[in-house]
């Protein structure tokens, strides 16, 4: 890098000329025995100052072989000799101001040493100045204080800036930011330093502009020029050249004649734009009219407040006038003046008066609109607008005021009354005069409202739903109904009675029973009592109406429907029915009901596993879980040749029968329900094991005996004969006819229930609502339609029901899974067969359980 690299392209011509001069100087210096170089300050490290080896007359390569080098003289030279080329190059930053300060020129004397032979050369390096330093003021801000009364042309000396450069780079010029009050004067002399002064060009006014902010800028002569700045903060010192001035020349004030002592009349305000003591103002009252009222007012000399010290009387003096002087504390003091005019105002000091001259209370709640309730008289002792009175009633309804003549009013009824909504009114008659400010008066009138019997008792609920467990104690409280009558006294006194309702239908014995035979209601409290224990098997729903009647004249009444749903308890043990496929029953019907029967059946040796030998059938008078039956083989325990279907009651072979099983098997089967506690019945079945032909003869004999006694047989052997097939077809036709009849009966009952009056329902149609819960789950039904299904040889059951809800439709139920064809041991299933066949007959289950009712097929 050469010295030309320090400058830009715009200075290449100048650099070329400089380079020629340096070469010529070096050649001349070599002749004279000394080499001279010139380099600008701030040249970059690596810049070539001159070809020292060549200028010293050394051959190429001698610089390295003869160890051409600079000899240090204890001062950093910032240049070095390149070992390979022998050129003198810049090694570190060159700062002319650091090396030579303000001295010019700035020359560095270097000694160069070569060996073989040893010689010493003297090299002079001149560092030329560049404009790298901006003008600098002694401080960034200078504060000046100038008197407000200073004359134009006044001079205020300023300290100039300094520049570390030399020559043209240090020639400074100054400029001042635009100002109409100040200018700048710079004087240069060869004998003295330059003199810089701030000159006042226009008179100052502190009240107009108390502080002047100017910027003094210094620029040097370099290219490009560098600048420095200093802020001048000039504060104008105040002079007492302004007199105090009031913000008003005349203060007009109005005070009422009843103003109290100490009332502020007015506060005069005078300001002085000067500062310090020149602006401090004191107030003085120099004149008052009329003079005799001088002691009626007090002036505060510091704040200018004028307060009332005596009473005002409009009839005595109607206006006052005062002269106020404000004086500052300057030298000499200056003063200003104002005038205060006080006008006394007449006040409305008499309030209206209201009297009630006649009052007719209480007012019946059925009083006609326009009925006069009270007569009032209003007056005001003032005159003019202060004596004119306006009247109003509050609240604005249901009463109003009617003016009869001047000062007289009638309080009349404007709207119909309702004692149940508001039993008493506090009416306020308000009077206001036309004074300023107006005065008001009021008179309260109490108007009670007398009651009439215009409200019938209303029950809290239109329908009361009650859950009662069966076998409850007589006299137990079932529920409490409550009706409210907003009337008072006898008009609101309510008595209760059972109005209608009852029990009827098949489950109650076919007759009609009044609801009063089951429940009673307390006439005063509305408590419902049970007159006798309830039996779910006798009555499931008891619906009736309770009437509430008040004691008014004439009396009014209200009705509410009460639905008592009897919750089933497990109070009936399973009852065994004649078994299918058995030879005979041993024991009377009473013994079967008590839970212990005995029967026998036949099976042939070699019968395969899964062959049905007999079927135990039972029924439970309870409902739901309490009527869900399961069958268990009690004896023999272990792995015997027979097993019992858990929910079907079918006795089938567990494996193929062998002669080793013996001629007879005794089975003890226990039938249990799912109630808490569980009830059970026991059946003993004796199965005789014989040859195939003997089993057929035994089955035929038992078939004939069972036919005469009404017991249906099911052969134990799996063969199909013509007689059994014909019997099956007959039973299939009978079953189809029975189902069609039931469907037709259901349609007829549904149509009848839609048109028949709904007074009360147990086993028939009627309005009912229940949310019932048990261990099985919970379900809702209303307007229940009950249907009784009878098994072939058992009692009727009413567990299969059709519901017509009057609630909003519930969410869709979960899909009913398909019934399994093999082992019907699905949960919550109680099996009661209507009919059965070897070829398969549809059997209806009589148990309702959540969330579905299963219909399955027995194979």
């Amino acid at each position: 890098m050469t010295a030309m690299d320090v400058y830009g392209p715009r200075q290449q011509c100048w650099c070329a000329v400089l380079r020629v001069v340096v070469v010529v100087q070096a050649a001349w210096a070599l002749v004279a025995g000394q080499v001279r170089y010139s380099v600008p300050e701030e040249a970059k490290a690596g810049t070539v100052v001159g070809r020292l080896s060549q200028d010293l007359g050394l051959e190429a390569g001698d610089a390295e072989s003869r160890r051409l080098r600079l000899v240090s003289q204890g001062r950093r030279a910032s240049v070095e000799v390149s070992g390979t080329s022998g050129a003198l190059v810049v090694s570190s930053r060159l700062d002319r101001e650091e090396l030579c300060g303000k001295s010019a020129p700035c020359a560095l004397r270097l000694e160069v040493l070569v060996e073989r032979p040893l010689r010493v050369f003297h090299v002079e390096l001149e560092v030329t100045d560049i404009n790298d330093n901006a003008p600098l003021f002694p401080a960034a801000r200078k504060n000046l204080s100038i008197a407000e009364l200073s004359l134009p042309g006044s001079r205020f000396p300023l300290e100039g800036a300094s520049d570390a450069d030399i020559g043209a780079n240090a020639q400074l010029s100054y400029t001042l930011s635009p100002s109409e009050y100040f200018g700048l004067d710079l004087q240069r002399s060869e004998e003295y330093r330059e003199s810089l002064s701030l000159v006042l060009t226009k008179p100052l006014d502190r009240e107009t502009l108390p502080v002047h902010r100017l910027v003094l800028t210094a620029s040097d002569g370099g290219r490009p020029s560098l600048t420095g700045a200093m802020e001048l903060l000039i504060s104008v010192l105040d002079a007492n050249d302004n007199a105090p001035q009031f913000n008003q020349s005349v203060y007009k004030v109005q005070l009422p004649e009843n103003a109290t002592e100490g009332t502020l009349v007015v506060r005069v305000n005078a300001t002085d734009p000067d500062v310090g003591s020149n602006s401090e103002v004191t107030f003085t009252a120099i004149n008052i009219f009329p003079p005799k009222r001088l002691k009626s007012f007090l002036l505060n000399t510091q704040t200018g407040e004028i307060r009332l010290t005596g009473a005002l009387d409009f009839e005595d003096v109607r206006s006052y006038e005062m002269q106020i002087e404000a004086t500052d504390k300057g030298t000499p003091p200056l003063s200003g003046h104002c005038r205060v005019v006080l006008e006394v105002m007449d006040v409305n000091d008499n309030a209206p008066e209201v009297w009630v001259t006649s009052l007719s209370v209480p007012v019946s709640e059925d009083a006609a609109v326009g009925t006069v309730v009270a007569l009032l008289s209003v007056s005001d002792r003032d005159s003019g607008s202060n004596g004119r009175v306006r009247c109003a009633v509050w609240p604005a309804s249901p009463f109003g005021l009617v003016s009869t003549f001047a000062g007289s009013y009638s309080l009349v009824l404007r709207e119909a009354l309702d004692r149940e909504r508001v039993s008493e009114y506090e009416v306020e008659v308000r009077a206001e005069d036309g004074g300023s400010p107006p005065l008001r008066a009021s008179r309260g009138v109490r108007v009670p409202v007398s009651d009439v019997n215009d409200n019938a008792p209303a029950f809290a609920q239109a329908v009361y739903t009650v859950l009662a467990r069966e076998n409850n104690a007589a006299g137990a409280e079932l529920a409490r109904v409550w009706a409210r009558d907003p009337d008072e006294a006898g008009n609101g006194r309510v008595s209760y009675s059972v109005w209608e309702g009852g029990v009827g239908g098949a489950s109650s014995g076919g007759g009609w029973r009044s609801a009063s035979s089951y429940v009673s209601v307390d006439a005063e409290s509305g408590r419902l009592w049970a007159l006798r224990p309830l039996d779910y098997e006798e009555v499931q729903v008891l619906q009736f109406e309770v009437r509430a009647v008040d004691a008014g004249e004439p009396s009014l009444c209200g009705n509410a429907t009460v639905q008592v749903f009897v919750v089933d308890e497990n109070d009936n043990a399973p009852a065994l029915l004649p078994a299918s496929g058995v030879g005979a029953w041993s024991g009377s019907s009473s013994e079967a009901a008590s839970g212990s029967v005995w029967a026998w059946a036949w099976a042939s040796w070699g019968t395969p596993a899964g062959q049905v030998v007999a079927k135990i059938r039972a029924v439970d008078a309870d409902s739901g879980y309490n009527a869900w039956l399961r069958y268990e083989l009690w004896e023999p325990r272990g792995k015997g040749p027979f097993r019992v279907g858990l929910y079907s009651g079918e006795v089938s072979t567990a494996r193929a029968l062998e002669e080793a099983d013996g001629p007879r098997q005794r089975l003890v089967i226990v039938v249990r329900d799912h109630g808490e506690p569980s009830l059970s019945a026991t059946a003993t079945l004796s199965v005789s094991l014989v040859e195939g032909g003997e089993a057929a003869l035994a089955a035929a004999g038992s078939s004939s005996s069972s036919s005469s006694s009404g017991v249906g047989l099911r052969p134990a052997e799996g063969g199909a004969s013509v007689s059994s097939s014909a019997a099956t077809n007959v039973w299939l036709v009978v079953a189809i006819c029975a189902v069609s009849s039931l469907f037709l009966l259901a349609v007829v009952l549904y149509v009848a229930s839609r048109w028949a009056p709904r007074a009360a329902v147990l086993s028939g149609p009627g309005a009912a609502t229940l949310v019932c819960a048990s261990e099985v789950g919970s379900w809702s039904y209303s307007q229940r339609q009950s249907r009784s299904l009878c098994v072939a040889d058992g009692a009727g059951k009413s567990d299969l029901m059709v519901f017509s809800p009057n609630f909003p439709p519930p969410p869709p139920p979960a899909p009913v899974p398909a019934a399994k064809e093999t082992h019907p041991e699905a949960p919550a299933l109680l099996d009661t067969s209507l009919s059965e066949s070897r070829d398969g007959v549809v059997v209806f289950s009589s148990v309702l359980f959540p969330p579905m009712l299963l219909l399955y097929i027995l194979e």
Side-chain angles (χ1 to χ4, degrees):
M1 181 182 293
T2 64
M4 292 179 61
D5 297 332
V6 180
Y7 305 98
R10 294 179 295 176
Q11 296 179 343
Q12 288 183 359
C13 295
W14 180 84
C15 290
V17 175
L18 178 63
R19 190 173 178 183
V20 172
V21 172
V22 171
V23 172
V24 173
Q25 287 181 349
W28 177 259
L30 182 59
V31 176
Q34 186 176 4
V35 179
R36 296 175 61 88
Y37 295 106
S38 177
V39 62
E41 66 172 331
E42 303 297 340
K44 295 182 180 180
T47 301
V48 176
V49 177
R51 303 185 183 276
L52 181 61
S53 176
Q54 182 179 352
D55 295 339
L56 293 178
L58 299 179
E59 297 294 335
D62 288 351
E64 185 175 4
S65 62
R66 298 182 64 180
R67 295 182 62 190
L68 177 65
R69 64 187 182 274
L70 291 178
V71 179
S72 174
Q73 297 180 354
R75 176 175 168 181
R76 184 173 59 88
S78 300
V79 292
E80 63 183 4
V81 177
S82 174
T84 57
S85 64
L88 185 66
V89 297
V90 177
S91 62
S92 61
R93 177 174 178 267
L94 284 172
D95 187 359
R96 194 204 64 78
E97 288 76 28
E98 180 182 352
L99 295 173
C100 302
K102 299 290 287 187
S103 299
C106 179
L108 301 180
R109 290 175 174 80
L110 307 175
E111 290 185 357
V112 180
L113 181 67
V114 294
E115 297 178 357
R116 295 192 301 272
L118 181 64
R119 294 186 62 182
V120 177
F121 297 93
H122 294 279
V123 178
E124 183 176 304
L125 177 63
E126 180 183 359
V127 181
T128 60
D129 183 47
I130 65 173
N131 190 24
D132 59 343
N133 291 280
L136 181 65
F137 283 95
R141 173 185 294 179
K142 182 174 181 61
N143 297 320
L144 298 175
S145 297
I146 301 177
E148 181 181 9
L149 299 180
S150 298
L151 299 176
S154 300
R155 303 171 66 86
F156 306 95
L158 298 175
E159 186 175 358
S162 62
D163 195 318
D165 295 324
I166 60 174
N169 295 333
Q171 294 295 322
L172 302 181
S173 60
Y174 297 91
T175 57
L176 187 65
S177 59
S179 173
E180 60 177 319
Y181 293 94
F182 296 95
L184 197 63
D185 181 33
L186 177 63
Q187 295 181 357
R188 289 188 173 93
S189 172
E190 297 181 357
E191 300 180 3
Y192 306 102
R193 291 184 58 195
E194 61 184 20
S195 175
L196 182 65
S197 299
L198 185 69
V199 181
L200 181 64
T201 60
K202 182 180 178 180
L204 299 175
D205 186 1
R206 192 205 63 82
E207 289 73 32
T208 303
L209 187 60
V211 177
H212 297 261
R213 295 180 182 272
L214 304 177
V215 177
L216 177 61
T217 304
S219 303
D220 60 20
R223 294 291 183 271
S225 177
L226 300 180
T227 61
M230 179 176 65
E231 182 184 11
L232 299 178
L233 186 63
I234 304 171
S235 300
V236 181
L237 301 179
D238 182 53
N240 191 25
D241 56 348
N242 294 280
Q245 298 213 355
F246 288 93
N247 55 357
Q248 294 178 232
S249 60
V250 177
Y251 290 84
K252 292 186 177 181
V253 184
Q254 292 181 340
L255 277 183
E257 61 175 326
N258 59 349
T260 59
E261 183 177 347
T263 300
L264 177 64
V265 178
V266 70
R267 178 175 181 173
V268 295
N269 185 24
T271 56
D272 193 319
D274 295 325
V275 294
S277 61
N278 297 331
S279 64
E280 295 180 8
V281 178
T282 58
F283 300 92
T284 308
I286 59 176
N287 187 20
I288 187 170
F289 179 84
K292 64 178 182 178
R293 307 296 295 184
L294 179 62
K295 295 183 179 181
S296 297
F297 303 95
L298 177 64
L299 173 63
N300 189 317
T301 59
Q302 300 299 321
T303 63
E305 291 182 349
I306 301 176
R307 293 189 177 272
L308 192 63
T309 58
L312 298 179
D313 189 356
F314 178 78
E315 290 73 26
D316 182 16
V317 179
R318 296 192 176 187
S319 65
Y320 296 85
E321 186 173 329
M322 290 173 279
Q323 291 286 340
I324 307 298
E325 181 181 69
T327 306
D328 62 22
K329 295 182 180 180
T331 303
L334 303 178
S335 61
H337 301 83
C338 75
R339 185 172 53 163
V340 177
V341 177
L342 171 62
E343 182 180 358
V344 181
M345 304 298 296
D346 188 21
V347 297
N348 182 27
D349 53 356
N350 291 285
E353 296 180 349
V354 182
W355 295 278
V356 178
T357 58
S358 178
L359 182 62
S360 300
V361 291
V363 180
S364 176
E365 67 175 320
D366 60 352
V369 174
T371 301
V372 177
V373 178
L375 298 178
L376 303 102
S377 177
V378 181
S379 64
D380 193 318
R381 292 179 297 172
D382 292 326
S383 59
S385 60
N386 295 336
R388 288 193 294 270
V389 181
R390 300 184 301 273
C391 291
V393 62
W394 186 90
S397 62
F399 300 99
L401 284 178
V402 176
S403 177
T404 55
F405 51 90
S408 295
Y409 294 88
S410 297
L411 183 65
V412 300
L413 187 64
R414 290 284 179 82
E415 298 177 5
L417 301 177
D418 186 1
R419 192 208 62 82
E420 288 70 37
R421 186 171 60 88
V422 181
S423 60
E424 183 176 280
Y425 291 90
E426 290 291 340
V427 181
E428 184 179 11
V429 179
R430 298 175 176 179
E432 178 182 294
D433 61 21
S436 180
L439 297 181
R440 301 174 180 86
S442 63
R443 176 74 64 179
V445 180
R446 178 176 171 272
V447 182
V449 181
S450 60
D451 184 50
V452 296
N453 191 26
D454 56 348
N455 292 280
F459 283 90
Q461 299 174 225
V463 177
Y464 288 84
T465 300
V466 181
L467 299 179
R469 289 191 173 273
E470 68 172 325
N471 304 321
N472 61 302
E477 182 178 345
L478 301 179
R480 181 176 180 179
V481 297
W482 180 74
R484 177 181 178 273
D485 192 325
D487 294 327
E488 65 177 356
N491 295 334
R493 188 167 58 251
V494 179
S495 60
Y496 304 91
S497 62
V498 176
W499 179 245
E500 61 175 297
V503 180
S507 62
S508 60
W512 176 268
R513 295 180 184 175
S514 173
S516 59
S517 63
Y518 289 91
V519 295
S520 67
V521 61
D522 186 274
E524 294 183 359
S525 65
R527 288 185 172 88
L528 291 173
W529 310 94
L531 296 179
R532 61 178 182 176
L534 299 176
D535 187 0
Y536 178 83
E537 288 70 38
E538 177 186 353
V539 54
Q540 288 84 39
V541 182
L542 178 63
Q543 177 173 307
F544 54 91
E545 286 191 0
V546 175
R547 169 168 289 189
V549 182
D550 61 24
E553 289 294 338
S555 61
L556 302 177
C557 65
N559 298 328
T561 300
V562 179
Q563 298 170 343
V564 179
F565 292 88
V566 182
V567 180
D568 183 45
E569 289 191 349
N570 192 25
D571 56 349
N572 292 279
L576 294 168
L577 301 177
S580 175
V582 300
W585 282 102
S586 176
S588 62
S589 60
S590 62
E591 291 176 345
S594 65
S596 178
V597 296
W598 182 85
W600 68 87
W602 296 269
S604 61
W605 288 321
T607 301
Q611 179 65 46
V612 177
V613 175
K615 182 171 183 178
I616 305 301
R617 295 186 298 171
V619 68
D620 195 314
D622 293 322
S623 178
Y625 246 73
N626 298 329
W628 182 21
L629 302 182
R630 66 180 183 271
Y631 301 84
E632 301 174 2
L633 181 60
W634 189 256
E635 292 181 6
R637 296 182 179 274
K639 296 182 179 180
F642 297 97
R643 61 186 177 188
V644 179
L646 180 60
Y647 297 107
S648 65
E650 292 179 343
V651 180
S652 60
T653 56
R655 55 178 171 79
L657 299 179
E658 303 173 354
E659 291 186 8
D661 293 329
R664 186 181 301 275
Q665 290 284 333
R666 179 175 174 272
L667 307 178
V668 178
I669 300 170
V670 178
V671 184
R672 302 179 186 274
D673 59 24
H674 285 73
E676 289 294 338
S678 176
L679 301 180
S680 64
T682 304
T684 302
L685 177 64
S686 178
V687 182
S688 298
L689 303 181
V690 296
E691 294 291 341
E694 295 178 4
L697 293 175
S702 63
S703 174
S704 59
S705 61
S706 297
S707 299
S708 61
S709 61
V711 178
L713 297 179
R714 181 175 181 174
E717 191 173 350
S721 62
V722 176
S723 59
S724 63
S725 177
T728 299
N729 292 336
V730 171
W731 283 110
L732 182 59
V733 172
V734 172
I736 293 174
C737 294
V739 171
S740 301
S741 302
L742 288 175
F743 175 76
L744 182 60
L745 178 61
V747 172
V748 172
L749 291 177
Y750 176 78
V751 174
S753 66
R754 298 294 292 179
W755 293 96
R758 301 176 183 176
V761 172
L762 271 190
S763 299
T769 301
L770 172 63
V771 177
C772 187
S774 70
E775 297 85 347
V776 188
S778 63
W779 64 92
S780 303
Y781 65 95
S782 65
Q783 297 183 4
R784 192 179 69 169
Q785 313 292 326
S786 299
R787 303 289 179 266
S788 297
L789 296 180
C790 296
V791 296
D793 37 13
K797 295 282 289 178
S798 61
D799 293 332
L800 183 60
M801 302 177 184
V802 181
F803 303 109
S804 301
N806 56 8
F807 287 135
V816 179
K820 294 183 180 179
E821 295 182 357
T822 56
H823 194 59
E825 297 181 1
L829 177 63
L830 175 62
D831 178 76
T832 303
S833 299
L834 297 179
S835 60
E836 55 187 14
S837 170
R838 217 178 132 181
D839 295 331
V841 179
V842 176
V843 179
F844 290 86
S845 172
S846 64
V847 174
L848 177 66
F849 64 97
M852 66 191 77
L853 179 65
L854 293 184
L855 301 178
Y856 63 95
I857 300 176
L858 295 177
E859 291 295 336

